[in-house]
Amino acid sequence: MKLQICHLYPDLLDLYGDRGNIMVLEARSQWRGLDSEVQKASIGAPLDFSSMDILFLGGGSDREQNILVEDLMRRKQELQAAIEDGLVVLTICGGYQLLGQYYQTADGKKIPGLGILDLWTIAGSKRLIGNVVVDCSEQDFAFDKASSENTLTTLVGFENHSGKTYLGDRLEPLGRVRYGNGNNGEDNAEGMRYKNVFGTYLHGPLLPKNPHFADFLIKLALGRRGISEPLAPLMDELEVLAHQKVVERILAGR
């Protein structure tokens, strides 16, 4: 089979090497003998969300978000239907905010988002910058189910945002912050999950630093296709060790 991956707005949403997330999804699929095809789609490009397996939206500035909301609003119903049908979606920073209700600027103006997810973002008075360690061990999804060889339950990355995001009651955080700020620097939450949609402020890019999360997304995409077999294990000893060392160094820096 062939995984259909869509990198939406790669020319406008690609802060901090976010395209590296696509490279990891491609590589870790191909290493297991799974073909993948990446569609790079920008403003006005034809899109069929129902045919996609994984959709990726990276980070961008407020200006780009304003432009992209207008483009995506025409396709909101199709995107929302695909999300309800289990489409795997990974959104980073600006892409994360884009799916929410609104972004409130420092002067109180509310810029509408797509309104697909019950979250909203308010401009803060300072930027939230630095390394982040997120604990996902208490969530109802477990990354170690993606591969019998991988038991990591943390995520690491780099955040740089002034917007403070808050989740409604229907959303759960991606994890709890052990170091860093996360969604807003107040409630100890980082990112969000709704069905197979994930949002996070972790750049870096995210998936090269967290290959277990990449496997989890691939496993979800395959599961939606009716394939429930465990992923073939990869020789991830160095990747796991690198992740663990990054966690140790970040936490030691406290």
Side-chain angles (χ1 to χ4, degrees), residues 2 16 46 55 74 78 107 119 130 137 160 162-163 167 178 199 213 221 237 254:
K2 180 180 290 187
Y16 306 106
L55 173 66
R74 299 182 292 106
E78 300 107 280
D107 59 5
L119 62 90
S137 62
N160 185 354
S162 59
L167 307 182
R178 291 177 62 185
F213 190 30
E237 291 85 356
R254 287 189 294 191

Side-chain angles (χ1 to χ4, degrees), residues 87-105:
L87 174 65
V88 178
V89 183
L90 175 61
T91 62
I92 311 288
C93 197
Y96 172 24
Q97 297 171 357
L98 193 65
L99 296 184
Q101 302 297 320
Y102 61 83
Y103 183 101
Q104 182 173 305
T105 63

